[in-house]
Amino acid sequence: QVQLVESGGGLVQPGGSLRLSCAASGLTSRDYVLGWFRQAPGKEREFVGNIRWSDGETYWADSKEGRFTISRDYARNTVFLKMTDLRPEDTAIYYCDKRYFCSSPVSLSWGQGTQVTVSS
């Protein structure tokens, strides 16, 4: 059974940076994608981006690439989301998820989420 555990959220001022981590366990192969989506109060779930585990190829929601970076630690089964120039509209719960392929709209598994609050 796949388990995804996020960490690294918190309160940050506008313009600041955060790095979120997601530790994955229970993965039985390397043929998958790990990434992030977020959900703000009263809003729809929003895809952020993901990374193909086998080769590190990344895939993004149009508006996220540039300020956000996804990377992975292959040996530790951990994926990271580095966010810079954070804005109040980035405030949300950020979830790590697993998908079959980068552009898939379907999350197969996800974690409990980590809260990111951008406020002065």
Side-chain angles (χ1 to χ4, degrees), residues 2-119:
V2 175
Q3 285 193 317
L4 302 170
V5 180
E6 304 95 336
S7 60
L11 173 64
V12 63
Q13 293 188 339
S17 300
L18 275 178
R19 189 179 80 155
L20 308 183
S21 300
C22 171
S25 60
L27 297 165
T28 57
S29 76
R30 295 297 183 182
D31 187 21
Y32 54 83
V33 168
L34 290 183
W36 299 88
F37 66 89
R38 67 187 187 183
Q39 189 161 23
K43 293 192 175 181
E44 295 284 323
R45 178 184 293 192
E46 180 186 20
F47 172 74
V48 175
N50 56 33
I51 186 166
R52 190 162 58 209
W53 210 251
S54 59
D55 62 4
E57 184 77 17
T58 55
Y59 180 78
W60 293 96
D62 289 343
S63 60
K64 301 303 178 292
E65 191 171 19
R67 293 192 299 125
F68 293 3
T69 305
I70 289 179
S71 60
R72 78 200 195 293
D73 183 327
Y74 193 87
R76 296 195 303 173
N77 273 355
T78 302
V79 62
F80 305 99
L81 178 65
K82 176 69 182 294
M83 304 183 290
T84 62
D85 188 25
L86 283 162
R87 305 163 183 172
E89 55 264 39
D90 294 316
T91 295
I93 300 175
Y94 284 70
Y95 297 88
C96 175
D97 75 342
K98 175 191 171 186
R99 303 185 186 210
Y100 277 130
F101 53 91
C102 287
S103 59
S104 171
V106 178
S107 294
L108 302 171
S109 306
W110 54 91
Q112 82 288 348
T114 186
Q115 176 71 49
V116 171
T117 302
V118 184
S119 175

